[in-house]
Amino acid sequence: MPSEKALESKKQAVAELVEKLNGSVAGVVVEYSGVSVADDTKLRADLRAENVEYKVVKNSILKRAASEVGLSDLDAVLNGTTAIAISKDDHVAAARVLKKFADGHDGFNIKSGYMDGAVIDLATINSLAGLPSKDVLLATVCNAFNAPIAAFARVIQAVVDKSGEEVPAPAEEAAPAPAEEAPAEEAAE
């Protein structure tokens, strides 16, 4: 039977993890076996750059925390070595960084994940990993809104530029040619 101190420590770890899970928008659970210290250090730096927290966790602690926040579907993948990457504000950052890392390392595998309080499968994580970053998506949306406005501004500027040039006088309307006068004989009749 574990000591009271050990139980209290585990309860504290579960409570901290529950708080992190509740405060996040997405997370990815991975198996990290076979990763060198140098590679792990680089991975952690890449995740920190994306504002993603990465933590090695015991399966039993993650299982209890996941159960408390309604993610008990993660239980099926909680075996072997387990780490979790938690993102507070970007739905795709953890998936993107971890997928890229997993592609280059044999022992590193993505197990599952969650988004907005629901467990997602590996196919969804791979789809998310293919999306560009939040900043790139926002820039794309802004450009989509900006393009018609910019085109309209160019048209208006062309009109303004053209109005400064000498405008050719409108061609005089050709008056209808005078009808040929009838020969004098016809006029006499």
Side-chain angles (χ1 to χ4, degrees), residues 21 24-27 71 74 84 86 112-120:
L21 292 173
S24 66
V25 295
L71 298 172
L74 287 175
I84 186 165
I86 300 171
S112 186
Y114 68 93
M115 181 184 301
D116 293 331
V119 175
I120 55 176

Side-chain angles (χ1 to χ4, degrees), residues 45-139:
D46 291 345
L47 289 166
R48 267 192 307 275
E50 295 287 335
N51 199 25
V52 175
E53 183 179 345
Y54 180 76
K55 181 176 180 141
V56 173
V57 294
K58 288 185 174 184
N59 290 322
S60 60
I61 291 176
L62 181 54
K63 186 179 284 191
R64 287 182 189 255
S67 177
E68 283 189 36
V69 297
L71 298 172
S72 39
D73 289 345
L74 287 175
D75 289 356
V77 299
L78 297 180
N79 49 40
T81 58
T82 303
I84 186 165
I86 300 171
S87 179
K88 293 179 184 174
D89 55 5
D90 190 346
H91 290 79
V92 300
R96 187 178 55 252
V97 173
L98 293 172
K99 173 76 168 114
K100 182 179 175 184
F101 188 81
D103 288 344
H105 297 83
D106 291 334
F108 191 89
N109 298 309
I110 296 174
K111 294 180 178 183
S112 186
Y114 68 93
M115 181 184 301
D116 293 331
V119 175
I120 55 176
D121 61 355
L122 194 55
T124 305
I125 293 170
N126 289 332
S127 296
L128 290 172
L131 293 175
S133 71
K134 183 177 179 181
D135 293 336
V136 171
L137 287 173
L138 288 174

Side-chain angles (χ1 to χ4, degrees), residues 1 8 18 25 32 37 44 50 131-132 138-139 159-160 166 169 177 179:
M1 180 114 194
E8 193 58 39
V18 165
V25 295
Y32 64 89
V37 173
R44 289 174 186 267
E50 295 287 335
L131 293 175
L138 288 174
V159 169
V160 168
E166 229 176 88

